[in-house]
Amino acid sequence: MTARAEILSRIRSAIADAPAPEPVPRDYHREPASGPGDVELFAHTVDDYRAQVHRADETTVVEIVTGLIAEGKRAVVPPDLPQSWRPRGDVVVDRAPAELSTLELDAIDVVVTGCTLGIAATGTIVLDGGAGQGRRALTLVPDHHICIVRTDQIVDTVPQAFQTLDPTAPLTFISGPSATSDIELNRVEGVHGPRTLDVVIVR
């Protein structure tokens, strides 16, 4: 008998007389979103994750995004990011076939993208590689991510989000700046992705 088989055998023996588990309730909100989600809750939960929240309309996005980039810093954007969202200044377009290498991305300070969804209940932004988002490396390597979320992209719950998302797409879920507390419970940011996250909510 292998060690795995022995462990499983012991577990089965230990729970043989245990009562059957209670059924898991499935009555939570799973209906597809029929309109914009709770924008204020989304802003609040994003802020709870130590991301900075900014408000804009289509006429002020470029001013706000430009203002979030420190003087002298370079930004990278996906090729299909709307022109009205692109910051002024030193901007690199990550355009195929001459996409930036990982080392080149690491030398760039800021990335500006859109998203596919925002989830109000969890303050989560979802990227799926669609329009205005670029490839996954683009949002993982630079140290500062500025993500633009339209209010009509916000849904209320995670089940709602999964009703909308394509499960075959390269999904990335972002809840605040990248952080870990694996070592002695000390929080360290910027380990697995951007250290700084700014979320611009566009009405």
Side-chain angles (χ1 to χ4, degrees):
M1 178 180 289
T2 65
R4 178 177 181 275
E6 183 177 354
I7 291 169
L8 292 175
S9 176
R10 291 182 181 182
I11 291 172
R12 292 188 189 99
S13 297
I15 64 173
D17 298 326
E22 293 292 326
V24 177
R26 301 291 184 187
D27 55 353
Y28 46 77
H29 191 175
R30 303 175 68 179
E31 293 302 313
S34 58
D38 189 332
V39 176
E40 295 308 314
L41 176 60
F42 176 72
H44 176 74
T45 50
V46 168
D47 180 71
D48 271 353
Y49 273 113
R50 302 190 187 186
Q52 300 299 311
V53 178
H54 312 270
R55 308 295 184 112
D57 57 39
E58 286 291 347
T59 65
T60 59
V61 174
V62 65
E63 297 294 341
I64 290 172
V65 170
T66 301
L68 292 172
I69 301 172
E71 186 175 351
K73 300 295 185 181
R74 283 201 305 160
V76 61
V77 299
D80 55 354
L81 188 76
Q83 195 66 39
S84 61
W85 292 0
R86 294 190 182 190
R88 301 188 183 97
D90 190 358
V91 178
V92 179
V93 180
D94 185 52
R95 193 186 305 278
E99 293 175 332
L100 300 174
S101 69
T102 303
L103 288 176
E104 289 171 324
L105 282 174
D106 193 42
I108 291 179
D109 307 287
V110 186
V111 58
V112 181
T113 73
C115 71
T116 190
L117 280 180
I119 306 174
T122 59
T124 301
I125 295 161
V126 186
L127 308 179
D128 66 358
Q133 300 168 53
R135 55 196 172 105
R136 179 173 279 171
L138 199 63
T139 55
L140 292 178
V141 180
D143 202 45
H144 181 187
H145 183 188
I146 300 172
C147 189
I148 300 164
V149 185
R150 300 191 317 270
T151 54
D152 63 1
Q153 293 178 301
I154 296 171
V155 299
D156 287 324
T157 67
V158 174
Q160 274 187 337
F162 276 104
Q163 289 283 344
T164 306
L165 294 170
D166 176 2
T168 66
L171 299 175
T172 303
F173 289 73
I174 301 170
S175 297
S178 171
T180 182
S181 299
D182 289 344
I183 301 174
E184 296 183 356
L185 299 181
N186 292 321
R187 181 182 172 92
V188 179
E189 296 182 347
V191 176
H192 309 298
R195 187 187 318 270
T196 303
L197 175 64
D198 282 291
V199 178
V200 180
I201 300 175
V202 180
R203 60 181 182 276

